[in-house]
Amino acid sequence: QQARAYLEGTLQAARSLRIVHDERVALTHLGSLDLLDGRPQDAVTRLHPVTADRSVPAAEDLTWDTPVELLSVLAQAYLELGELDRARAYAGLAVDHARRMGTWLQGIRALEVHGMVLARDGHHDLARAAYQEGLDRAQAMAFPYGRARLLHAYGLLDRQLQDHGAAHAKFAEALAILERLGADNDAGRLRQAIAHTPPRQNTPGQTP
């Protein structure tokens, strides 16, 4: 609630001063909060005008400094809404922009969301590759929060494939990071994932 209040104030000030870049950044972070609150449709409604009301924004619409995070938020929102075509398009565009612009602080999230979309599509090896690239980049950048998010997502893929031992290992590492950072909300969601993961009873790497 405190973050939302700050961001709403920033948004109002940016609009009053006509600072378009700051307006888009504030909208992006508010969209992230919508996702955390379980309201993906609100995130889409909030951010869709920024893309000129197109199903996928054209290159000329992405002229501000860091569109990668906005595209990632939209990709995750559409994924949660079950609109997979749009989720694929936004996730791919986010990663492409991260590669072209070298904005890997935002690009780590793009890889996380891209992996989530690939996992939903059943492209498990490609999802693993996206998660692993993100983990490598987060490690190189000393970005523990990004690493924890990726470990959580990667662990969910392991659980989906019945590799509960690998899932527990990734969840445990992620939880240790989040507790060290004091990211209590994220840690709470991860504990729920752990509670819903069966015991480590299968051989690592085993799939159904």
Side-chain angles (χ1 to χ4, degrees), residues 176-200:
I177 294 171
L178 294 171
E179 289 177 340
R180 186 171 70 250
L181 294 175
D184 295 335
N185 290 339
D186 295 89
R189 283 187 288 272
L190 186 50
R191 290 189 188 99
Q192 290 180 0
I194 294 171
H196 289 89
T197 302
R200 315 174 186 219

Side-chain angles (χ1 to χ4, degrees), residues 45-203:
T45 301
R46 186 188 301 280
L47 294 176
H48 196 58
V50 181
T51 69
D53 291 321
R54 300 175 185 176
S55 58
V56 177
E60 59 267 25
D61 296 321
L62 300 173
T63 56
W64 65 98
D65 292 345
T66 54
V68 176
E69 189 164 6
L70 183 146
L71 294 168
S72 300
V73 170
L74 279 170
Q76 184 176 344
Y78 280 121
L79 179 64
E80 293 182 9
L81 291 169
E83 297 188 34
L84 296 185
D85 287 344
R86 286 187 170 182
R88 291 184 201 102
Y90 278 109
L93 197 57
V95 173
D96 288 346
H97 270 267
R99 294 197 191 287
R100 182 161 58 254
M101 299 165 68
T103 54
W104 286 112
L105 185 63
Q106 295 82 14
I108 285 172
R109 180 168 187 181
L111 287 167
E112 175 197 344
V113 176
H114 195 212
M116 292 163 59
V117 173
L118 289 166
R120 178 74 64 86
D121 277 337
H123 301 306
H124 301 141
D125 289 343
L126 293 175
R128 287 191 185 96
Y131 291 145
Q132 191 58 55
E133 181 182 355
L135 287 170
D136 292 343
R137 290 187 180 279
Q139 183 70 23
M141 294 171 61
F143 182 22
Y145 181 69
R147 181 173 178 82
R149 286 182 59 108
L150 282 156
L151 286 166
H152 187 169
Y154 202 163
L156 291 175
L157 175 59
D158 288 334
R159 187 177 71 183
Q160 177 186 337
L161 298 175
Q162 305 297 311
D163 192 347
H164 302 137
H168 277 287
K170 291 181 177 69
F171 290 158
E173 183 180 350
L175 184 60
I177 294 171
L178 294 171
E179 289 177 340
R180 186 171 70 250
L181 294 175
D184 295 335
N185 290 339
D186 295 89
R189 283 187 288 272
L190 186 50
R191 290 189 188 99
Q192 290 180 0
I194 294 171
H196 289 89
T197 302
R200 315 174 186 219
Q201 56 191 11
N202 62 303
T203 302

